[in-house]
């Protein structure tokens, strides 16, 4: 028989205002096995924990029930307190009388009745608890970073600098990400390439960083500390070791009609290409879909002109399997598609562009060599209109419900840069709200208005009407003086909402990392654990977790790196002892459990058993407790009731149900 | 409950619009072809209803200047749809004039084989006691 102590917490007024805690103590004391019951204002406090320790020693308690908040909140606290007092931590059960009871009920009598029942169930369970010993699992001292933009690069650099090996997997032919497409960066207006390229070079040259470009994560198995990942290295058709990066193949390639992804389709690239001049690695890939050799068999110009003999049309996709202790997701974002926004004439006029397209136009290496000009006729614009919040803050199905956060600042940046370089160009910004929280951010925006004479008008634009003469008629209102505005513009720039990279869904599924309705990865705690996924060993870096600018991304990338380092620095991880166990006398080796196990933790072996004096060799299920995550799927599936989850045995669960129904 | 509060509630009920969803972006006014003709502008309609300022609204010129083109309904990013509010305010006026009730005997004469089914449903919602 257990000697159980029951401790009922008031949680200030959180519980005590709705639950009669004295009554719970009184009723719990009557339950079988209970030798001690008391209440206290804050059981999690130092004093509350001492009460528990004292009772364990004085009353020789063998089991504890703490009636308090959710076990997610303080189960660890009370288990540690019990352990310090000499009790096995798995002899502690929590009856959640806060989230499951006081917070959701108004009537005191009802809530008290429910609290008593919840306590009774926990007591019934503890009566059947047995001490459990946690196991240990190893930590592979290598991290994987998925995505090679500024977030991924920074995380990888920080982890590598701490002394751990890191692999970056990047889908495109080069690392660099969105930041490499930007011209200047707010609020200091430094050139994006000038601050990013050194980081790219540093990552590529780092002895502890390996970069897999033009590669994708294909399969993930294992668990925290011990992930196994298959990486698909897509066939580059160019030998990375032989290529010298001279670029002759790209010059001579006769297929030059593929829209350049890097320049957002504003100009074309060759079929063999590097996305941009500073690409890392500086080794081109052949886009087989647009390569004449691959499509018709006739061409081979690149192979002929390559002095290094690096072109390899026979190259195949390769799967690399690696082990990792931690995985950081840094998959970034894209702008939303604008086909639902016909009123802004994006698909009707070449002179209606997104802000990211403007970045490429303003960039010296971009499609117009940095000259601000209309894409329709190459003429310099005189009137530019910027429209904010296109697709952001929408309650309808066309756009995104959230604020994309970066647009107010980059629009102010664009407006200022244009006014600075082309003082004769008039710039008008239509805004709903100007949101500029951040160090030196509002000052930046005010500079656009006060020093550069950018015309800010409050009011969302209704529509953009392309005119026969090629101008764009912008129809809006000035909400502050209730005035209709019909403005003829030469170019219209749409501050398009951003969304997580669409591939993130696939990756989140592989990692069993949770994702929200907007496809942003969910953090373990919105405030206190913002860079960790609820899935152990998975960390979040950059916009995959939510909209953010470059300074925030770099800060978060560092934070994700620290969390990953904290994991990699451990020699061993303690594993949850609540794993499945098979009863060899009941198991008939039917394989049902192995088929439902999501972790591949169950295998079979032929073994001699002694079944009540009968010795025979049987096929039996064996659980690898290092792999088992205690999900319980096998215990439900087992037709003979042989599989049981330690700490949550069938008997314990039934005892709880019985206690509730009593 | 005062009269205007009741009226505001009736307008939101008839229109099915929640004026609190408005973020005051003004896209409705920016889209409106009758903007210049109106004394109370489309985006202001929303705050007039939210502030229960109904008398001014129903007596405004705007009420009868709206073309019901539904450009604002189509483009509103917040699902507020001022065009529906205007429509509901007109309905309120019609009811006050005692024209709100269709007697069952009158209905067959008004039916037309080309009539969209939707119109029947909305007519039942509007012309009720």
């Amino acid at each position: 028989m257990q000697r159980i102590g029951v401790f009922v917490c008031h949680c200030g007024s959180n519980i005590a205002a709705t639950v009669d805690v004295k009554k719970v103590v009184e009723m719990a004391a009557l339950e079988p096995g209970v030798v001690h019951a008391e209440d206290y204002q804050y059981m999690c406090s130092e004093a509350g924990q001492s009460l528990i320790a004292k009772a364990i020693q004085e009353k020789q308690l063998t089991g504890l029930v703490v009636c308090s908040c959710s076990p997610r909140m303080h189960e660890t606290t009370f288990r540690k307190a019990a352990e310090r007092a000499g009790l096995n931590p798995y002899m502690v059960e929590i009856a959640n009388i806060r989230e499951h009871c006081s917070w959701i009920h108004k009537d005191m009598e009802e809530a008290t009745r429910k609290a008593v029942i919840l306590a009774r169930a926990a007591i019934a369970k503890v009566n059947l608890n047995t001490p459990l010993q946690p196991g240990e699992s190893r930590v592979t001292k290598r991290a994987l970073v998925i995505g090679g933009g500024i977030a991924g690069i920074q995380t990888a650099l920080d982890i590598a600098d701490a002394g751990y090996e890191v692999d970056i997997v990047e889908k495109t032919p080069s690392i660099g990400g969105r930041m490499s497409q930007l011209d200047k960066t707010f609020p200091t207006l430094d050139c994006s390439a000038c601050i990013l390229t050194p980081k790219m070079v540093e990552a590529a040259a780092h002895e502890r960083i390996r970069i897999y470009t033009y590669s994708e994560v294909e399969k993930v198995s294992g668990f925290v500390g011990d992930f196994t990942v298959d990486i698909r290295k897509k066939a580059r058709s160019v030998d990375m070791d032989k290529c010298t990066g001279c670029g002759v193949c790209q010059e001579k390639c006769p297929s030059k009609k593929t829209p350049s992804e890097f320049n957002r389709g504003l100009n074309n690239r060759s079929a063999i290409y590097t996305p941009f001049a500073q690409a890392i690695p500086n080794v081109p890939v052949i886009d087989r879909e647009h390569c004449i050799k691959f499509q018709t068999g006739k061409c081979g110009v690149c192979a002929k002109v390559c002095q290094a003999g690096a072109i390899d049309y026979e190259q195949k996709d390769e799967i690399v399997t690696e082990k990792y202790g931690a995985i950081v997701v840094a998959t970034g974002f894209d702008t939303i598609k604008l086909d639902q926004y016909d009123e802004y004439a994006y698909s009707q006029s070449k002179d209606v562009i997104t802000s990211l397209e403007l970045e490429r136009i303003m960039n010296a290496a971009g499609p117009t060599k940095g000259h601000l000009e209309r894409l329709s006729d190459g003429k310099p614009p005189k009137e530019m209109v910027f429209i904010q919040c296109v697709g952001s803050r929408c309650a309808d199905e066309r756009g995104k419900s959230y604020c994309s956060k970066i647009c107010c600042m980059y629009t102010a940046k664009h407006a200022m840069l244009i006014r600075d370089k082309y003082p004769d160009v008039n710039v008008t910004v239509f805004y709903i709200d100007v949101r500029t929280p951040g160090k030196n951010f509002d000052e930046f925006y005010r500079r656009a208005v006060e020093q550069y004479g950018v015309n800010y008008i409050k009011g969302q634009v209704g529509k953009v009407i392309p005119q026969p003469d090629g101008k764009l008629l912008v129809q809006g209102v000035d909400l502050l003086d209730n005035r209709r505005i019909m403005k003829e513009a030469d170019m219209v720039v749409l501050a398009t909402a951003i969304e997580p990279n669409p591939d993130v869904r696939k990756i989140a599924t592989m990692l069993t990392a949770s994702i929200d309705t907007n496809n942003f990865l969910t953090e373990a705690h919105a405030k206190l654990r913002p860079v960790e996924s609820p899935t152990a060993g998975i960390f979040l870096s950059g916009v995959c977790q939510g909209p953010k600018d470059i300074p925030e991304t770099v800060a978060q990338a560092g934070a994700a790196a620290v969390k990953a380092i904290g994991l990699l620095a451990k020699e061993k991880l303690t594993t949850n002892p609540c794993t499945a166990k098979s009863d060899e006398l009941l198991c008939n080796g039917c394989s049902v459990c192995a088929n439902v196990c999501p972790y591949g933790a169950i295998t079979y072996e032929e073994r001699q058993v002694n079944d009540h004096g009968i010795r025979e060799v049987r096929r039996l299920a064996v659980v690898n407790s290092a792999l088992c995550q205690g999900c319980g799927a096998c215990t439900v599936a087992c037709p003979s009731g042989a599989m049981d989850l330690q700490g949550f045995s069938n008997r314990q669960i039934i005892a709880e149900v019985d206690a509730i129904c009593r | 409950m005062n009269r205007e509060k009741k009226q505001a509630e009736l307008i939101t009920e008839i229109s099915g619009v929640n004026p609190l969803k408005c973020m005051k972006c003004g896209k409705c006014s920016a889209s409106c072809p009758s903007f210049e003709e109106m004394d109370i502008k489309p985006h202001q309609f929303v705050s007039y209803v939210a502030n229960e300022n109904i008398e001014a609204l129903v007596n405004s010129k705007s009420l009868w200047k709206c073309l019901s083109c539904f450009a604002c309904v189509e483009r509103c990013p917040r699902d507020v749809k001022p065009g529906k509010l205007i429509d509901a305010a007109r309905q309120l006026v019609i009811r006050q004039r005692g024209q709100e009730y269709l007697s069952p005997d009158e209905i067959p004469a008004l039916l037309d084989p080309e009539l969209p089914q939707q119109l029947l449903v909305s007519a039942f919602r509007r012309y009720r006691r």
Side-chain angles (χ1 to χ4, degrees):
Chain A
M1 193 68 185
Q2 306 277 18
R3 295 177 57 79
I4 299 169
V6 178
F7 300 85
V8 186
C9 181
H10 295 220
C11 196
S13 61
N14 275 300
I15 293 171
T18 329
V19 169
D20 180 350
V21 287
K22 298 283 182 204
K23 176 88 176 166
V24 178
V25 169
E26 188 187 306
M27 297 301 285
L30 304 175
E31 290 295 309
V34 176
V35 295
H36 177 83
E38 65 179 314
D39 60 286
Y40 188 67
Q41 204 162 18
Y42 289 105
M43 209 51 98
C44 60
S45 68
E46 192 75 36
Q49 293 185 47
S50 310
L51 278 182
I52 294 176
K54 198 164 139 244
I56 291 173
Q57 268 141 22
E58 283 178 1
K59 302 273 173 79
Q60 288 99 46
L61 299 181
T62 60
L64 296 186
V65 168
V66 185
C67 302
S68 60
C69 51
S70 159
R72 284 185 68 134
M73 194 78 198
H74 276 309
E75 186 177 68
T76 320
T77 313
F78 294 122
R79 279 188 171 168
K80 278 191 179 149
E83 197 173 16
R84 279 196 301 273
L87 197 63
N88 182 287
Y90 295 91
M91 297 306 292
V92 179
E93 291 296 336
I94 307 290
N96 180 355
I97 61 166
R98 193 177 77 171
E99 285 85 343
H100 284 180
C101 187
S102 68
W103 277 1
I104 52 167
H105 292 290
K106 287 201 171 71
D107 184 80
M108 189 139 187
E109 200 180 316
E110 266 182 358
T112 306
R113 193 142 45 92
K114 182 167 173 182
V116 170
I117 290 170
L118 291 172
R120 210 154 67 196
I123 295 163
K125 187 177 178 207
V126 175
N127 264 310
L128 299 171
N129 274 20
T130 47
L132 299 173
Q133 298 303 333
E136 281 180 338
S137 69
R138 66 201 169 102
V139 180
T140 306
K141 307 267 174 191
R142 181 188 287 277
L144 170 67
V145 175
I146 306 174
I150 180 61
I153 292 171
Q154 187 62 50
T155 301
L157 282 173
D158 289 346
I159 296 174
D161 282 343
Y164 297 97
E165 306 278 335
V166 193
D167 292 354
I168 299 177
V169 173
E170 164 60 42
K171 184 178 59 173
T172 70
S174 170
I175 56 168
R178 291 282 162 242
M179 189 175 168
S180 64
Q181 293 178 294
L182 307 183
D183 184 44
K184 302 271 192 308
T185 51
F186 61 77
T188 44
L189 297 180
D190 17 14
C191 135
S192 187
C194 309
I195 55 176
L196 175 66
T197 336
K199 283 210 181 278
M200 291 164 61
V201 173
E202 197 188 337
H206 205 293
E207 55 177 3
R208 283 184 290 275
I209 299 181
R210 267 192 317 205
I211 300 176
Y212 294 99
T213 49
Y214 209 47
S215 301
E216 290 181 40
V217 171
E218 183 112 332
K219 194 178 148 213
V220 179
S221 58
F223 51 92
V224 53
D226 194 18
F227 294 105
T228 305
V229 180
D230 286 357
I231 300 163
R232 176 179 291 273
K233 288 171 75 179
K234 290 178 278 185
R236 233 181 159 93
S237 316
V238 177
D239 188 321
M240 297 266 287
D241 298 326
K242 290 185 186 161
C243 175
T244 59
C246 71
V248 173
C249 54
Q250 303 182 50
E251 258 169 56
K252 303 288 181 195
C253 175
S255 164
K256 287 200 164 60
K257 289 199 180 122
T258 314
S260 157
E261 294 86 354
F262 186 76
N263 283 326
R264 306 298 288 183
L266 299 182
N267 66 354
N268 292 337
R269 59 160 170 83
S270 45
I272 183 165
Y273 73 106
T274 46
F276 53 105
Q278 299 85 357
I280 285 182
N282 186 19
V283 175
V285 299
I286 295 180
D287 167 5
R288 294 188 172 184
E289 223 178 287
H290 297 97
C291 169
I292 301 170
K293 171 82 177 171
F294 278 98
Q295 292 306 317
T296 68
K298 292 185 219 117
C299 184
V301 168
C302 49
K304 281 187 205 112
V305 299
C306 180
Q307 298 282 318
I311 308 294
D312 178 4
Y313 299 121
E314 305 301 316
Q315 222 179 59
K316 298 244 171 342
D317 285 10
E318 194 189 326
I319 305 281
V320 187
T321 305
E322 280 290 346
K323 291 227 163 232
Y324 299 101
I327 299 178
V328 183
V329 189
T331 45
F333 71 97
D334 204 341
T335 52
I336 64 162
K337 300 257 177 307
L338 288 171
D339 30 354
Q340 297 277 314
Y341 285 89
D342 263 355
E343 66 261 40
Y344 294 139
Y346 176 75
S347 52
Q348 297 154 44
S349 169
K350 280 181 135 181
D351 301 321
V352 180
I353 55 173
T354 67
S355 298
L356 195 49
E357 288 163 9
L358 181 66
E359 291 283 350
R360 295 314 303 147
I361 291 173
M362 306 268 284
N363 190 277
T368 61
K369 309 249 176 322
H371 300 296
L372 181 63
E373 59 190 50
R374 282 156 54 95
L375 292 171
S376 60
D377 54 14
K379 287 188 185 148
K382 288 276 169 254
E383 284 287 343
M384 300 248 339
V385 164
F386 287 80
I387 304 177
Q388 301 257 261
C389 299
V390 176
S392 297
R393 309 169 65 191
C394 284
D396 59 17
E397 70 293 340
R398 293 201 296 171
K400 302 291 175 186
S401 59
Y402 49 85
C403 165
S404 295
K405 198 173 185 181
I406 54 177
C407 326
C408 284
M409 283 298 284
Y410 69 57
T411 298
K413 173 189 78 176
H414 289 152
M416 216 183 306
L417 289 171
I418 291 170
R419 291 284 296 159
D420 188 51
K421 207 167 160 194
Y422 308 95
D424 58 330
V425 176
N426 289 320
V427 178
T428 307
V429 177
F430 285 90
Y431 70 96
I432 304 174
D433 300 288
V434 178
R435 295 176 166 177
T436 52
K439 188 167 157 184
N440 294 326
F441 280 18
D442 204 63
E443 295 91 324
F444 182 86
Y445 149 64
R446 290 312 308 170
R447 227 163 72 214
V449 176
E450 293 165 27
Q451 280 177 32
Y452 288 88
V454 178
N455 184 20
Y456 271 77
I457 296 177
K458 180 168 168 68
Q460 181 65 306
V461 167
K463 60 178 171 175
V464 175
I465 313 141
Q467 302 293 292
D469 64 355
K471 299 246 185 206
L472 299 158
L473 187 62
V474 178
Q475 178 184 316
V477 280
D478 183 330
L479 289 181
L480 298 182
D481 51 13
N482 257 354
R483 179 169 56 95
R484 160 119 302 169
I485 296 190
M486 295 295 246
K487 195 168 198 60
E488 278 211 330
D490 299 303
M491 284 176 93
V492 171
V493 184
L494 308 177
T496 312
I498 59 171
E499 64 179 349
N501 191 313
D503 287 344
V504 78
R505 272 203 92 79
K506 206 174 70 195
I507 288 167
T509 309
M510 282 193 270
L511 298 173
T512 61
S514 57
I515 206 163
D516 69 16
T517 49
N518 290 314
N519 280 356
F520 287 115
L521 283 155
T522 316
E523 52 279 15
H525 188 287
K527 282 147 279 180
L528 302 177
R529 295 174 69 195
V531 301
E532 296 156 82
S533 161
T535 306
I538 310 292
F539 305 98
L540 316 175
S541 177
V543 180
C544 68
Q545 178 263 337
K548 47 183 78 64
D549 58 23
I550 296 168
E552 281 182 315
T553 295
V554 172
Q556 199 205 18
V562 168
K563 291 291 172 187
I565 294 164
L567 169 59
L568 298 179
K570 289 188 175 133
E571 279 311 313
K572 297 268 180 199
L573 293 175
T574 335
T575 58
N576 182 1
C578 298
T579 54
K581 202 175 176 185
S582 175
D583 182 335
E584 59 178 25
L585 295 184
L586 293 176
C587 177
N588 61 15
C590 70
S591 294
V592 166
C593 54
N595 290 338
V596 298
C597 177
Y599 305 98
I602 302 173
T603 50
Y604 288 87
E605 63 180 37
E606 304 274 340
R607 203 171 60 221
Q608 196 184 57
V609 292
N610 181 350
D611 191 350
H612 302 86
I614 303 164
R615 286 173 194 277
E616 58 181 7
V617 174
R618 288 185 189 167
R619 182 172 187 268
L620 299 167
V622 183
V623 178
N624 178 342
S625 61
L627 292 178
C628 175
Q629 298 296 298
C631 72
C634 55
T635 63
V636 181
C638 178
S640 45
M643 217 28 118
D644 225 350
L645 195 59
Q646 301 182 81
F648 293 91
S649 68
N650 295 333
R651 274 182 72 212
Q652 286 172 299
I653 306 285
I654 296 296
E656 283 185 280
V657 176
D658 279 346
I660 289 169
C661 300
R662 181 148 37 92
Chain B
M1 205 188 320
N2 73 46
R3 181 180 148 81
E4 282 190 298
K5 189 176 169 75
K6 258 189 210 156
Q7 286 177 323
E9 276 175 13
L10 201 56
I11 288 175
T12 53
E13 193 198 323
I14 294 171
S15 62
V17 162
N18 175 4
L20 295 181
K21 289 181 83 175
C22 177
M23 66 169 166
K24 302 175 169 53
C25 74
K27 197 171 183 180
C28 45
S29 286
S31 300
C32 181
S34 304
F35 180 86
E36 304 279 20
E37 320 279 322
M38 294 191 174
D39 45 2
I40 296 175
K41 309 298 187 190
H43 68 277
Q44 293 174 293
F45 263 77
V46 183
S47 50
Y48 272 70
V49 175
N51 297 329
E52 295 160 8
N53 195 358
I54 309 300
E55 283 307 317
L57 189 64
V58 295
N59 292 318
S60 73
K61 223 166 48 168
S62 305
L63 203 62
W64 311 102
K65 290 292 179 188
C66 169
L67 302 169
S68 295
C69 75
F70 283 1
C72 54
V73 172
E74 189 65 30
R75 296 192 191 135
C76 174
R78 299 295 310 166
D79 222 7
V80 177
K81 307 179 175 177
K84 290 194 168 181
L85 283 179
I86 294 174
D87 215 26
R90 285 175 180 161
Q91 194 52 40
L92 196 74
V93 174
I94 292 170
R95 285 188 187 183
Q96 279 168 357
R97 291 179 188 161
Q99 297 168 340
E100 83 283 25
Y101 184 66
L102 274 180
S103 121
D105 328 331
E106 299 167 35
I107 295 171
L110 294 170
L111 290 177
D112 166 346
E114 303 287 310
L115 209 63
Q117 296 286 310
Q118 268 176 318
L119 201 67
L120 287 176
V121 177
S122 53
F124 281 121
R125 201 174 64 202
R126 288 174 175 193
Y127 297 104
R128 56 168 191 194
R129 287 263 190 220

